[in-house]
Amino acid sequence: MADRSPAPDTPELRARWGSFAWTDENRAKADWHIAKYPEGRQKSAVMPLLDLAQRQVGAETDTQGWLPLPVIEYVAKYLDMPVIRVLEVATFYFMYNLRPVGKFHVQVCGTTPCMLRGSDALFDTCKKRGMSKGHVSADGLWTLTEVECMGNCATAPMVQINDDNYEDLTPERLDAVLDALASGQTPKAGTQEPGRHTSEPAGALSTLKAMVDANHDYRGEW
């Protein structure tokens, strides 16, 4: 699983990120998030502000983004919170990266439904492309992480890459997605099964067949 400890607090880290501050655009977004909450509850904005900070770091480094400790401290100061409280949030949720990642963060689900549907082969596919769990690939493109269930069991196996999910994967389909990303394209997100739209049965409906074209009230038939 992913290492949830922050990157070491080194002089080099401080030199690079100690002067972090919102861009004008992100300051407006941060204040917009804070304004959602009633007076005295502004600290509730900590999660969207951490996400915003991570995205700003990503934009500056051409990666998916991460949260150096000075950036976490900046968010804490902006919200008038103890740093440890913000760090607790950042270390708890896997949506926050606590160490540098590549341009594309490949998160492969290894939980039982995905494992039974072939996620082990997806890890092999990633390995063949130079990825190893918890590390940035030599070309700077990829970081591979094994994660727990991300809620797409009906379309397993699935992978999340940055903000998009890719489902109904095979090694060949994952390779196609990764090839497209590496070449600067935007592959289709969601299910990769031809003819399938979301998580409806891959074949034909076996029950509730009258619901295909319109809403149908089955209650009178029960």
Side-chain angles (χ1 to χ4, degrees), residues 169-187:
L169 290 171
T170 63
E172 295 75 20
R173 290 173 181 174
L174 178 57
D175 260 331
V177 168
L178 297 175
D179 284 341
L181 291 170
S183 64
Q185 301 176 51
T186 303

Side-chain angles (χ1 to χ4, degrees), residues 1-58:
M1 298 305 295
D3 183 355
R4 300 308 295 159
S5 60
D9 187 12
T10 63
E12 292 77 15
L13 188 78
R14 291 281 165 183
R16 175 64 181 87
W17 296 108
S19 60
F20 177 89
W22 298 125
T23 62
D24 291 342
E25 180 182 4
N26 283 343
R27 182 179 296 275
K29 290 180 180 178
D31 292 343
W32 177 76
H33 283 300
I34 293 171
K36 297 176 185 177
Y37 300 96
E39 187 63 32
R41 299 291 182 180
Q42 286 76 20
K43 295 178 178 62
S44 298
V46 63
M47 290 189 68
L49 262 62
L50 283 173
D51 179 72
L52 186 63
Q54 179 167 278
R55 292 176 186 275
Q56 181 170 319
V57 170

Side-chain angles (χ1 to χ4, degrees), residues 103-184:
K103 185 178 180 69
F104 302 108
H105 188 186
V106 182
Q107 299 179 80
V108 180
C109 178
T111 311
T112 306
C114 280
M115 180 187 68
L116 293 174
R117 295 275 293 173
S119 64
D120 285 350
L122 303 185
F123 283 111
D124 291 339
T125 299
C126 293
K127 184 176 180 180
K128 291 176 182 176
R129 302 179 76 102
M131 300 185 212
S132 60
K133 294 178 185 178
H135 298 280
V136 180
S137 61
D139 57 12
L141 278 180
W142 319 105
T143 291
L144 174 64
T145 302
E146 179 176 357
V147 296
E148 294 300 324
C149 182
M150 291 192 283
N152 288 284
C153 304
T155 50
M158 65 85 60
V159 170
Q160 180 177 330
I161 305 177
N162 293 2
D163 290 332
D164 289 316
N165 289 348
Y166 301 91
E167 307 152 27
D168 285 315
L169 290 171
T170 63
E172 295 75 20
R173 290 173 181 174
L174 178 57
D175 260 331
V177 168
L178 297 175
D179 284 341
L181 291 170
S183 64

Side-chain angles (χ1 to χ4, degrees), residues 73-104:
E73 292 171 347
Y74 178 84
V75 171
K77 183 177 180 180
Y78 203 79
L79 290 171
D80 192 25
M81 292 176 66
V83 174
I84 187 60
R85 295 302 185 194
V86 180
L87 186 62
E88 286 171 346
V89 175
T91 55
F92 183 83
Y93 292 99
F94 274 68
M95 63 187 285
Y96 305 119
N97 303 315
L98 300 179
R99 292 173 180 263
V101 295
K103 185 178 180 69
F104 302 108

